[in-house]
């Protein structure tokens, strides 16, 4: 690799690190419940070798009865040991893997296209990507899964020339199913795509490398596969978000249509309104929703998944994205490279398509880095075209100056779009979206610690937006894991369950009916106007978030 390429790549990695690590513990403003759960379980594993429920070295965390793969918690242990149990430590592994994914994108694109310019530009676009930055700065397992997929594909392609790389690829793919639920679907599909496209090269390799790689994949994956099919709770999360589990709402209107079809002797309607057809249409609609340009470039989905008033991608990327698709289809690129990139692009939404709440930015993070690759191809093609046109025009030709004006205007628009994003994410997000991030616990818990000795019982609301409040108290109090494991033996992690530990009780508050002398922590709506409020915690915009009150 040339010195110039190394310097540019190094600069890109520094930028990627800056955007992912700067103020990591403060932006977003608070950890959400999943981040707090991953952090506390990492803390528990560090000190006891067990999760919050006392399970020894689990491969799956029961957590909120969503049974999430445990690998992210293990990745968090070194950071928690080094920095303590805090937001920065929990998010650090995601930020680190975010930077690693940028590096992996460079080498993957270079391996596919044999071009440094395209590889550098693709990695740069991922380094500044709003979608990728968003999930590199929070403890979301999908970001680690993306990095694993990028390197799995890279090592597979390298393995076609140096077969020992196949062992690395197979091992990463197997490990990836321990990272995030969507990877249990996407990673096998990615492997299938790679095998089908490069089958000729793959099966011409010495058989010993293939056998060793397959054995490694199977041996590493077996514990998770066994757990998934033998533990009745393993698929609780999948059941909870699956469209097939939400039959009542989905089929209610369908039943009305069927009755109407029977009444009108509409035989075509009876076929089209059949519940199997309804489910199929729902899945297809869910799949296609992830190609909604409004979702991608303008509005995104829920507030925790994007910067305020931003989509997942920059507006300046919009024309280049389509030019890049056209360029990849009709350009002089390797046929198998074309097929692989488009296959990746098309399989990315499959895991999310059978779930509710679509389109969903987390479950489809594996779209990346295909968007960046398409956009990079488009930018390079336009730059070459503009350069050729500029050189072809004479110095006094008005079109030459219009070309310069147009290019300058678009560069200015790009800069404005980028600066706007930085402001929306790093400045405005904490102000506008604090409530979405369960803000307030870092402020309220120190206040409680000052006065808790005066109370025998402390009651904390667990109703929205204070869902799973017990986990935030475990996290910020750094409650001894060995003690909590004893106290939580008969506890449930369900979203509607009440919890207790020490003098803390987490349940709904009904102020008028409360007859216990205790300290109460809850939402403003939990207290009557004459309640004795000791402390108010406000969101950054001044709206009340959490109250501390007492009842004698």
């Amino acid at each position: 690799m040339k010195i110039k390429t190394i310097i540019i790549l190094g600069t890109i990695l520094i930028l990627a690190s800056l955007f992912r690590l700067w103020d990591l513990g403060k932006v977003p403003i608070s950890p959400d419940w999943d981040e707090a759960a991953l952090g506390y379980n990492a803390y528990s594993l560090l000190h006891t070798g067990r999760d919050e429920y006392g399970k020894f070295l689990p491969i799956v965390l029961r957590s909120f009865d969503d049974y999430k793969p445990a690998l992210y918690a293990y990745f968090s242990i070194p950071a928690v040991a080094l920095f303590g149990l805090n937001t920065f430590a929990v998010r650090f592994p995601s930020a680190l893997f975010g930077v690693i994914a940028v590096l992996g994108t460079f080498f993957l694109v270079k391996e596919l296209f044999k071009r440094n310019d395209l590889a550098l530009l693709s990695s740069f676009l991922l380094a500044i990507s709003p979608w990728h930055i968003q999930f590199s700065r929070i403890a979301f397992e999908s970001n680690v899964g993306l990095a694993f997929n990028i390197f799995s594909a890279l090592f597979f392609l390298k393995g076609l020339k140096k077969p020992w790389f196949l062992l690395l690829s197979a091992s990463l793919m197997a490990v990836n199913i321990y990272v995030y639920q969507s990877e249990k679907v996407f990673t096998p599909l990615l492997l299938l795509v790679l095998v089908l496209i490069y089958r000729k090269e793959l099966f011409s390799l010495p058989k010993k490398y293939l056998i060793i790689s397959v054995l490694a994949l199977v041996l590493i994956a077996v514990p998770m596969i066994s757990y998934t099919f033998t533990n009745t709770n393993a698929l609780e999360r999948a059941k909870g978000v699956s469209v097939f589990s939400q039959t009542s709402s989905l089929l209610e209107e369908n039943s009305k249509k069927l009755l109407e079809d029977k009444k009108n002797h509409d035989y075509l309607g009876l076929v089209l309104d059949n519940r199997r057809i309804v489910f199929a249409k729902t899945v297809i609609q869910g799949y296609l929703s992830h190609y909604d340009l409004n979702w991608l470039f303008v509005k995104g989905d829920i507030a925790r998944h994007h910067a305020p008033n931003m989509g997942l991608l920059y507006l300046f990327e919009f024309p280049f994205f389509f030019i890049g698709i056209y360029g990849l289809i009709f350009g002089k690129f390797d046929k198998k490279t074309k097929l692989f990139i488009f296959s990746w692009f098309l399989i990315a939404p499959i895991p999310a398509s059978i779930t509710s709440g679509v389109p969903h930015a987390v479950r489809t993070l594996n779209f990346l880095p295909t968007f960046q690759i398409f956009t990079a191809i488009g930018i390079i093609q336009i730059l070459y075209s503009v350069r050729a046109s500029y050189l072809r025009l004479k110095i006094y030709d008005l079109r030459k100056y219009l070309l310069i004006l147009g290019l300058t205007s678009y560069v200015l628009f790009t800069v404005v779009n980028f600066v706007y994003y930085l402001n929306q994410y790093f400045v405005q997000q904490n102000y506008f979206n604090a409530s979405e991030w369960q803000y307030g616990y870092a402020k309220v818990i120190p206040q409680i610690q000052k006065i808790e000795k005066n109370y025998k019982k402390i009651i904390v609301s667990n109703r929205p937006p204070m869902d799973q409040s017990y986990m935030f108290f475990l996290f910020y109090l750094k409650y001894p894991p060995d003690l909590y494991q004893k106290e939580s033996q008969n506890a449930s992690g369900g979203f509607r369950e009440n919890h207790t530990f020490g003098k803390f009780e987490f349940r709904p508050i009904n102020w008028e009916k409360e007859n216990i002398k205790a300290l109460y922590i809850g939402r403003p709506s939990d207290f009557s106007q004459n309640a004795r409020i000791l402390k108010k915690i406000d969101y950054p915009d001044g709206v009340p978030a959490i109250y501390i009150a007492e009842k004698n």
Side-chain angles (χ1 to χ4, degrees):
M1 198 158 43
K2 294 180 180 180
I3 294 296
K4 181 181 177 182
T5 302
I6 294 173
I7 292 172
I8 296 172
L9 179 60
T11 304
I12 290 170
L13 293 176
I14 290 170
L15 285 173
S17 301
L18 178 65
F19 293 139
R20 285 154 183 79
L21 291 170
W22 185 78
D23 246 357
L24 182 62
K26 298 178 181 177
V27 182
I29 197 167
S30 169
D32 73 354
W33 55 47
D34 284 319
E35 292 182 281
L38 288 167
Y40 187 75
N41 275 281
Y43 183 69
S44 183
L45 287 164
L46 172 65
H47 289 283
T48 69
R50 300 175 184 275
D51 70 0
E52 63 179 286
Y53 294 101
K55 180 74 173 176
F56 182 69
L57 297 180
I59 61 172
V60 170
L61 298 175
R62 178 180 168 189
S63 194
F64 305 132
D65 282 355
D66 54 357
Y67 294 87
K68 53 174 71 80
L71 193 55
Y72 190 97
Y74 288 102
F75 285 149
S76 301
I77 290 174
V80 170
L82 185 62
F83 304 115
L85 180 57
N86 55 55
T87 307
F88 176 87
V90 179
R91 290 174 175 172
F92 182 77
S94 184
L96 179 62
F97 277 100
V99 176
I100 291 172
V102 172
L103 178 64
T105 296
F106 169 80
F107 287 108
L108 176 61
V109 176
K110 185 178 179 182
E111 186 69 25
L112 286 166
F113 293 91
K114 315 301 181 189
R115 288 177 54 173
N116 282 336
D117 59 346
L118 188 53
L120 286 169
L121 186 52
S122 297
S123 60
F124 172 73
L125 290 172
L126 188 65
I128 66 169
S129 164
W131 199 345
H132 196 241
I133 291 173
Q134 187 76 24
F135 295 109
S136 294
R137 293 183 58 90
I138 49 182
F140 275 27
E141 307 98 308
S142 57
N143 194 54
V144 178
L146 170 62
F148 273 50
N149 283 321
I150 290 171
F151 277 93
S152 295
L154 170 64
F155 291 149
F156 183 96
L157 295 171
K158 283 190 168 294
L160 301 177
K161 300 170 186 174
K162 298 178 180 179
W164 61 271
F165 272 108
L166 290 177
L167 177 60
L168 288 176
S169 178
S171 299
L172 280 177
M173 287 187 177
V175 169
N176 209 11
I177 67 173
Y178 294 83
V179 175
Y180 183 55
Q181 303 287 18
S182 290
E183 310 310 335
K184 296 176 183 178
V185 178
F186 179 82
T187 301
L189 288 174
L190 180 64
L191 175 60
L192 179 62
V193 164
L194 285 164
V195 170
L196 289 175
I197 294 173
Y198 297 98
R199 60 188 180 279
K200 185 177 179 181
E201 297 90 332
L202 181 66
F203 293 117
S204 66
L205 296 173
K207 296 297 183 285
K208 64 179 181 179
Y209 293 105
L210 299 181
I211 293 170
I212 292 171
S213 299
V214 170
L215 284 175
L217 188 148
V218 171
L219 289 174
I220 296 171
V222 157
M224 178 60 82
I225 294 171
S226 174
Y227 182 92
T228 301
F229 288 102
T230 59
N231 190 303
T232 55
N233 296 314
L235 298 175
E236 282 301 308
R237 179 60 177 166
K239 293 175 183 176
V241 299
S242 171
V243 293
F244 304 112
S245 300
Q246 301 175 2
T247 54
S248 57
S249 58
L250 189 61
L251 297 179
E252 184 178 351
E253 188 172 340
N254 173 248
S255 298
K256 295 177 181 178
K257 288 183 179 179
L258 281 173
L259 289 173
E260 192 69 24
D261 293 337
K262 288 179 180 178
K263 181 180 178 181
N264 297 329
H265 302 290
D266 184 353
Y267 299 108
L268 180 60
L270 288 171
V271 173
L272 295 178
D273 293 326
N274 180 281
R275 64 186 178 88
R276 294 173 183 81
I277 301 296
V278 170
F279 280 127
K281 284 163 58 179
T282 302
V283 171
I284 292 170
Q285 288 168 358
Y287 175 86
L288 294 176
S289 70
H290 294 95
Y291 298 98
D292 179 358
L293 299 178
N294 192 38
W295 174 68
L296 289 167
F297 289 95
V298 180
K299 66 176 186 178
D301 44 77
I302 66 172
R304 289 203 305 274
H305 294 173
H306 62 98
N309 303 311
M310 283 281 298
L312 302 169
L313 303 167
Y314 293 108
L315 283 174
F316 79 79
E317 295 177 303
F318 182 80
F320 299 118
F321 168 65
F322 288 100
I323 293 168
I325 290 177
Y326 179 88
L328 186 59
I329 293 173
F330 298 104
K332 295 179 180 179
F333 299 106
D334 178 72
K335 183 179 178 181
K336 290 185 177 180
T337 294
K338 294 181 181 184
L339 192 55
F340 174 61
I341 296 298
F342 279 111
S343 296
W344 187 322
F345 183 65
L346 293 172
I347 66 173
I350 290 176
S353 63
I354 59 172
T355 66
S356 57
V358 292
H360 201 283
V362 184
R363 297 170 196 154
T364 54
L365 190 62
N366 283 316
F367 260 132
L368 310 181
T370 59
F371 280 102
Q372 286 69 37
I373 294 171
F374 289 134
T375 303
I377 292 171
I379 290 173
I380 289 172
Q381 290 203 345
I382 288 296
L383 287 177
Y384 281 146
S385 178
V386 167
R387 182 175 181 272
S389 298
Y390 180 84
L391 294 174
R392 197 167 50 244
L393 296 171
K394 298 186 182 297
I395 193 167
Y396 52 80
D397 195 321
L398 178 61
R399 290 175 296 174
K400 193 166 194 173
Y401 297 99
L402 290 175
L403 193 65
I404 294 172
L405 179 62
L407 184 61
T408 303
S409 299
Y410 207 88
V411 169
L412 181 61
F413 171 68
T414 298
V415 172
V416 170
N417 194 191
F418 178 62
V419 172
Y420 176 78
Y421 163 69
L422 293 180
N423 176 68
Q424 291 302 106
Y425 183 86
F426 288 102
V427 180
Q428 305 302 328
Q429 176 177 220
N430 282 0
Y431 182 85
F432 287 108
N433 292 347
S435 62
E436 300 291 334
W437 288 98
Q438 286 101 32
Y439 172 82
Y441 293 103
K443 298 283 187 183
V444 77
I445 290 173
Q447 299 296 325
I448 296 167
Q449 288 177 298
K450 294 177 184 178
I451 58 175
E452 66 171 313
K453 62 179 181 293
N454 302 326
Y455 302 90
K456 293 182 179 180
K457 179 72 71 175
I458 300 175
I459 298 171
V460 184
S461 174
N462 63 356
R463 288 298 176 259
M466 296 184 66
D467 316 55
Q468 305 297 3
S469 52
Y470 84 97
M471 183 52 68
F472 290 95
F473 275 74
L474 290 173
F475 180 86
Y476 285 111
L477 291 171
K478 300 178 177 62
Y479 197 76
D482 55 344
L483 181 57
Y484 181 69
Q485 288 166 20
K486 294 174 184 176
E487 295 174 326
S488 67
Q489 286 181 355
N490 298 316
S492 168
F495 274 87
R496 289 172 291 279
E497 301 298 327
N498 301 330
H499 297 81
T500 60
F501 63 82
K503 62 171 66 176
F504 294 93
E505 183 177 332
F506 301 86
R507 61 170 176 79
I509 294 173
N510 188 335
W511 189 251
E512 301 302 332
K513 295 183 180 179
E514 297 292 348
N515 54 14
I516 302 173
K517 182 181 179 181
L519 188 68
Y520 291 84
I521 295 91
R523 310 164 299 176
S525 59
D526 287 325
F527 304 101
S528 64
Q529 290 184 347
N530 60 357
R532 186 184 177 195
I533 306 299
L534 303 181
K535 184 72 177 178
K536 296 180 180 180
I537 304 297
D538 293 337
Y539 293 118
D541 61 1
V543 174
I546 300 175
Y547 284 178
I548 302 175
E550 71 171 7
K551 199 162 195 177
N552 297 319

